[in-house]
Amino acid sequence: LISRKMASVPKPAADFNGVWTSVRSEKLAEFLVSQGMDEKVSKLAATKEVTQEITQDGNMFTVKTGSHTKNYVIGGSGHLKDVFGNMMFWEGSELVSKPFYMNTSKGAVETRRSIVKDEMVMKMRNEKGETTRYFKRMKSAVQPVSPPEKTTQPVKPPTIESAPTTKTTC
């Protein structure tokens, strides 16, 4: 379970809130093969567009990709465990997700997210390789809707004199 007990939480170094869509990648097919994926399948997967919905709320961080959602807690000493055995922490302006047993767990992947100009850059690495994916923000975080402004002019109800007349025929 995610621990919510922590010390002061540093201010986020970047705003990842929003819906992000992949626009290009580097060495993704090779990286997927290093994760155990079939070579033909990895080449096909590398061409697919990926959308991530990221919600950042204080020290809570949620990443939703398709039907898969991961929740993280950031803060305390900078390293807190999520339900998958990862720790998430700020390293300068990068948000890092790293398995506790990075060097001993087969298939363990370290992920680093940063904002460069108007793109989210996501670097992933394992013991055999690495890849970089670039995302464009398609939609910012949902903002509360402001109530409509009240009119100062009273609305005059229609009167019989101003109602349109209709002519009926039998």
Side-chain angles (χ1 to χ4, degrees), residues 2-3 6 8-10 12 14 16 52-64 69-101 109-114 120-124:
I2 297 175
S3 170
M6 53 193 70
S8 66
V9 178
F16 291 95
Q52 291 189 345
E53 182 178 346
I54 299 177
T55 306
Q56 191 176 338
D57 183 15
N59 62 344
M60 299 298 294
F61 202 91
T62 301
V63 180
K64 182 177 180 183
T69 301
K70 278 191 175 184
N71 295 301
Y72 300 94
V73 178
I74 305 165
S77 64
H79 298 63
L80 288 174
K81 187 176 178 181
D82 74 0
V83 294
F84 298 103
N86 289 343
M87 55 188 157
M88 188 168 251
F89 55 94
W90 289 105
E91 194 171 279
S93 62
E94 288 186 322
L95 186 61
V96 181
S97 171
K98 185 175 184 178
F100 277 109
Y101 306 105
V109 176
E110 176 186 280
T111 303
R112 294 175 170 268
R113 288 179 176 83
S114 60
M120 175 176 66
V121 178
M122 186 172 81
K123 296 180 180 185
M124 296 181 291

Side-chain angles (χ1 to χ4, degrees), residues 93-146:
S93 62
E94 288 186 322
L95 186 61
V96 181
S97 171
K98 185 175 184 178
F100 277 109
Y101 306 105
M102 181 69 192
N103 298 325
T104 59
S105 178
K106 184 177 177 167
V109 176
E110 176 186 280
T111 303
R112 294 175 170 268
R113 288 179 176 83
S114 60
I115 306 291
V116 179
K117 296 186 182 179
D118 61 345
E119 291 184 321
M120 175 176 66
V121 178
M122 186 172 81
K123 296 180 180 185
M124 296 181 291
R125 74 172 185 89
N126 61 20
E127 70 279 355
K128 296 178 183 176
E130 60 184 43
T131 184
T132 304
R133 300 187 86 174
Y134 300 87
F135 294 78
K136 287 282 187 189
R137 191 180 331 235
M138 306 311 286
K139 184 168 69 170
S140 294
V142 177
Q143 299 296 324
V145 178
S146 301

Side-chain angles (χ1 to χ4, degrees), residues 29 32 37-49:
L32 294 173
M37 187 179 280
D38 177 76
E39 189 172 338
K40 288 181 183 179
V41 174
S42 71
K43 287 180 181 180
L44 180 63
T47 65
K48 298 296 180 189
E49 183 178 272

Side-chain angles (χ1 to χ4, degrees), residues 1 5-6 22 68:
L1 209 55
K5 182 180 178 184
M6 53 193 70
S22 61
H68 186 73

